[in-house]
Amino acid sequence: MALGTNGLVIRRVKKIKKGGHHGGAWKIALADFALAMMALFLVLWLLSVASPEELASIEGYFHDPMGPSTAGFSANPIDLGGSPAKSPEKKLDLQLPDPGSTDLPMKDELLGNGPDSAESNSLNNMLQEAMSNTNVLLSQQQNLRIEITPLGVRITLLDNPDKPMFERGSARMMPDIENTLLTMSPIFNRITNPIVITGHTDSSKFSGDRLDNWDLSALRANAARRILEEGGVADKRFAQVIGLSDTIPYNRFDTDSAENRRISITLLTDEAYRKLLDQNRRFFGNPAQQSDLKLTPETVF
């Protein structure tokens, strides 16, 4: 047909059928990728905040996930507050964490009565000064540790295999530890805070003369109390004397270690002493009689 005419022009368009609907497979792939990245960053963060002991425990877990590993003796790769032990039994672990591990703020710390409180620091300074004036040199007492805790200042006497504190399987003190406690008695007389004494053993099972680790820890704590009383500390100063057996190891990664055999003497802050009294009344008192009493804080403390 010639151009310029008014004839009808018909244009034919050939339609090519393309692929159908792709679906949502790409969304699933993207979600899997995002989840994998989150897991990767979580693992990197955990490794960055873990202590050397926890890293060793993680390594030991991957070497032997089902049994006691050689590093940390833990069947769990991440320590969530338990106590890695050589046996699957659970251990109480109220004095976490060890040096180098990540600490979480305790409730007492948030309320201003934690280990960094002014009262605890003041108590620690008084104790250090008193020990210095009494010529008790900490550098020469390798088995003596002074630490600030949420309860106050804790003096820990650790056992030494070369110079043990007690006769084996007995609550009878050796002369060196008796002299140490008698030397420290005048210091405790200058600082009038209430005292808590706890006895601890290692995880080695002991059974002799009908005694076990519970008996030993309680008898040894009470033996320390008697020596302090001989040194002049009044009986009313002792707020609590208990034995904890091997439930709170000082060395959580070697529960048979000699340093787990120890005596802890804690000088309580005023707030910690009030909480301890209140806890003892609620847990061990007579609720029926106590509810009838109308006591004000001034008449109790």
Side-chain angles (χ1 to χ4, degrees), residues 8-285:
L8 180 63
V9 178
I10 299 176
R11 182 182 178 188
R12 298 184 180 276
V13 179
K14 186 177 180 181
K15 294 184 179 180
I16 300 176
K17 195 178 227 185
K18 298 183 180 179
H21 183 61
H22 290 284
W26 67 272
K27 299 180 182 178
I28 298 176
L30 179 61
D32 290 341
F33 175 75
L35 182 61
M37 292 300 295
M38 290 177 60
L40 173 63
F41 287 119
L42 179 60
V43 171
L44 293 176
W45 175 77
L46 287 174
L47 293 177
S48 67
V49 300
S51 66
E53 293 83 2
E54 290 171 335
L55 292 176
S57 179
I58 295 173
E59 180 183 356
Y61 170 80
F62 284 104
H63 282 303
D64 188 6
M66 300 304 296
S69 62
T70 57
F73 300 103
S74 175
N76 301 311
I78 303 297
D79 185 4
L80 298 178
S83 176
K86 292 183 179 178
S87 61
E89 60 183 339
K90 297 294 182 181
K91 299 286 185 182
L92 296 178
D93 203 51
L94 305 180
Q95 298 175 352
L96 283 174
D98 279 347
S101 60
T102 303
D103 194 6
L104 295 177
M106 304 294 290
K107 182 178 179 181
D108 286 345
E109 295 178 19
L110 299 177
L111 295 176
N113 188 43
D116 295 329
S117 67
E119 185 178 4
S120 296
N121 288 327
S122 175
L123 186 59
N124 179 60
N125 294 335
M126 292 171 59
L127 180 63
Q128 296 280 2
E129 181 180 358
M131 296 189 75
S132 176
N133 294 336
T134 318
N135 294 325
V136 178
L137 300 179
L138 299 181
S139 59
Q140 298 178 0
Q141 299 287 341
Q142 297 182 356
N143 64 332
L144 189 149
R145 310 282 174 82
I146 297 181
E147 301 158 325
I148 299 179
T149 72
L151 295 179
V153 178
R154 181 179 65 203
I155 302 98
T156 303
L157 297 169
L158 305 173
D159 199 14
N160 187 337
D162 298 329
K163 297 178 65 177
M165 295 191 298
F166 296 89
E167 294 182 3
R168 182 171 179 79
S170 171
R172 180 174 299 177
M173 282 189 176
M174 304 300 287
D176 288 341
I177 187 63
E178 285 190 7
N179 293 335
T180 299
L181 290 176
L182 289 174
T183 303
M184 295 174 64
S185 296
I187 300 175
F188 294 141
N189 286 331
R190 299 179 190 177
I191 304 173
T192 59
N193 294 63
I195 298 173
V196 169
I197 301 179
T198 57
H200 306 263
T201 66
D202 58 23
S203 61
S204 301
K205 298 301 179 183
F206 170 80
S207 180
D209 298 331
R210 298 183 179 180
L211 296 179
D212 56 18
N213 286 341
W214 286 103
D215 299 308
L216 281 178
S217 60
L219 291 172
R220 290 174 175 178
N222 204 37
R225 177 193 62 82
R226 287 197 298 266
I227 296 299
L228 290 178
E229 284 188 0
E230 290 181 10
V233 180
D235 177 69
K236 62 181 181 180
R237 292 278 308 283
F238 299 100
Q240 197 173 53
V241 180
I242 56 177
L244 294 174
S245 184
D246 62 335
T247 58
I248 308 178
Y250 196 83
N251 185 341
R252 298 182 297 122
F253 299 98
D254 185 5
T255 54
D256 289 334
S257 176
E259 59 186 348
N260 290 326
R261 302 189 295 268
R262 66 194 191 278
I263 296 294
S264 293
I265 304 172
T266 304
L267 297 172
L268 298 177
T269 62
D270 293 340
E271 182 65 22
Y273 181 51
R274 293 190 183 97
K275 289 183 178 180
L276 177 64
L277 287 180
D278 181 65
Q279 172 183 294
N280 289 342
R281 292 191 186 106
R282 288 187 290 109
F283 291 169
F284 310 114

